[in-house]
């Protein structure tokens, strides 16, 4: 399907109008790069990609990496044009250091990566507004996420360890205004103290589709924002 023409530089993108392109079980070789040169929103299911592979796609602004196997996220290193990145169910993922190089991100989603223990500091990701983390039971600290200087919303789903220090950092963050933890499989003795402290100081973040959240955040037809079921 043809992709829409790029937006005017400096104007926010209405991602709801851009249909995701699907790439499944392919290799990100030269032919792949040529085929997706104009692709703006890509879902890569089990795609085999080398270091910096997605940085070679000049129009890419939204990327979903789903499934497959990889020890690291080197394929996204240097993707400074990405606005949205979702990584989920990538088997064996232990190294997410390349995330720090994605300095254009506004939304970051990481789901179902049980072996991922550490995240890089996102202090240089000045455009990052919302982070969603889910099913990351091995994660040692939320501090690297909270290094993002302009972060506004943090959403957790299911088992994500949250320490007292993490809560202190949330409450002290200069721009964080909303937090949500959908703690479905988390014991109350772990989730309740966190929610009691954050509910007293922060708004409840909304559970919405990312494209709708961005549209509302940038004033693009806020009335049409639809909550996830």
């Amino acid at each position: 399907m043809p992709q829409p023409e790029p937006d005017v530089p400096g104007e926010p993108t209405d991602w709801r109008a851009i249909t995701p392109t699907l790439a499944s079980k392919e290799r990100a070789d030269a032919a792949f790069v040529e085929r997706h040169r104009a692709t703006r929103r890509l879902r890569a299911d089990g795609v085999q990609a080398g270091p910096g592979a997605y940085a070679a796609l000049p129009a890419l602004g939204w990327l979903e990496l789903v499934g497959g196997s990889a020890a690291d996220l080197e394929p996204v290193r240097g993707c400074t044009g990405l606005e949205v990145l979702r990584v989920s169910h990538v088997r064996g993922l232990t190294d997410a250091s390349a995330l720090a190089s994605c300095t254009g991100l506004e939304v970051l989603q990481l789901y179902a990566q049980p072996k991922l223990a550490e995240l890089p500091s996102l202090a240089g990701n000045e455009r990052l507004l919302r982070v969603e983390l889910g099913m990351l039971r091995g994660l040692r600290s939320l501090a690297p996420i909270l290094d993002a200087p302009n972060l506004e919303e943090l959403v957790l789903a299911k088992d994500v360890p949250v320490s007292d220090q993490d809560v202190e950092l949330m409450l002290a963050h200069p721009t964080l205004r909303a937090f949500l933890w959908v703690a479905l499989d988390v014991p109350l003795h772990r989730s309740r103290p966190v929610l009691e402290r954050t509910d007293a100081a922060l708004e409840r973040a909304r559970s919405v589709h990312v494209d709708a959240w961005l549209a509302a955040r940038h004033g693009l037809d806020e009335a049409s924002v639809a909550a996830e079921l």
Side-chain angles (χ1 to χ4, degrees), residues 68-96:
S69 301
D72 56 49
L73 291 177
E74 288 305 304
V76 304
R77 187 171 292 279
C79 287
T80 57
L82 277 184
E83 296 179 26
V84 179
L85 175 62
R86 177 185 178 95
V87 180
S88 66
H89 297 88
V90 178
R91 293 185 301 277
L93 183 65
T94 58
D95 180 0

Side-chain angles (χ1 to χ4, degrees), residues 25-212:
K25 312 238 175 355
E26 301 181 41
R27 185 180 296 277
D29 53 15
F32 178 94
V33 170
E34 186 60 32
R35 188 162 60 253
H36 292 290
R37 185 165 296 279
T39 296
R40 306 202 52 213
R41 185 170 176 175
L42 177 67
R43 178 184 169 109
D45 287 7
V47 171
Q48 300 178 46
Y54 294 106
L57 304 181
L60 193 63
W62 183 312
L63 176 63
E64 299 179 50
L65 301 179
V66 183
S69 301
D72 56 49
L73 291 177
E74 288 305 304
V76 304
R77 187 171 292 279
C79 287
T80 57
L82 277 184
E83 296 179 26
V84 179
L85 175 62
R86 177 185 178 95
V87 180
S88 66
H89 297 88
V90 178
R91 293 185 301 277
L93 183 65
T94 58
D95 180 0
S97 59
L99 292 176
S101 72
C102 300
T103 52
L105 285 180
E106 295 192 10
V107 177
L108 171 64
Q109 300 174 305
L110 294 174
Y111 289 104
Q113 304 300 157
K115 294 185 178 181
L116 188 60
E118 295 184 8
L119 295 172
S121 171
L122 300 183
N125 297 63
E126 297 182 355
R127 297 186 60 192
L128 190 61
L129 301 174
R130 180 176 167 110
V131 172
E132 301 178 10
L133 306 175
M135 295 175 283
L136 301 177
R137 63 175 180 268
L139 200 63
R140 295 187 184 129
S141 174
L142 299 179
I145 292 292
L146 295 164
D147 284 343
N150 298 305
L151 187 67
E152 296 181 1
E153 298 193 11
L154 177 60
V155 176
L156 307 182
K158 297 189 177 180
D159 194 358
V160 179
V162 183
S163 68
D164 290 341
Q165 182 183 21
D166 291 331
V167 176
E168 293 295 335
L169 290 173
M170 277 190 257
L171 300 181
H173 196 284
T175 61
L176 188 69
R177 58 175 179 77
F179 174 72
L180 176 67
W181 192 2
V182 185
L184 296 178
D185 60 350
V186 181
L188 282 176
H189 74 270
R190 284 180 48 204
S191 62
R192 181 177 289 166
V194 173
L195 293 173
E196 287 177 347
R197 294 187 66 191
T198 54
D199 281 351
L202 300 170
E203 302 171 21
R204 283 280 183 98
R206 295 174 301 157
S207 179
V208 296
H209 293 286
V210 172
D211 50 7

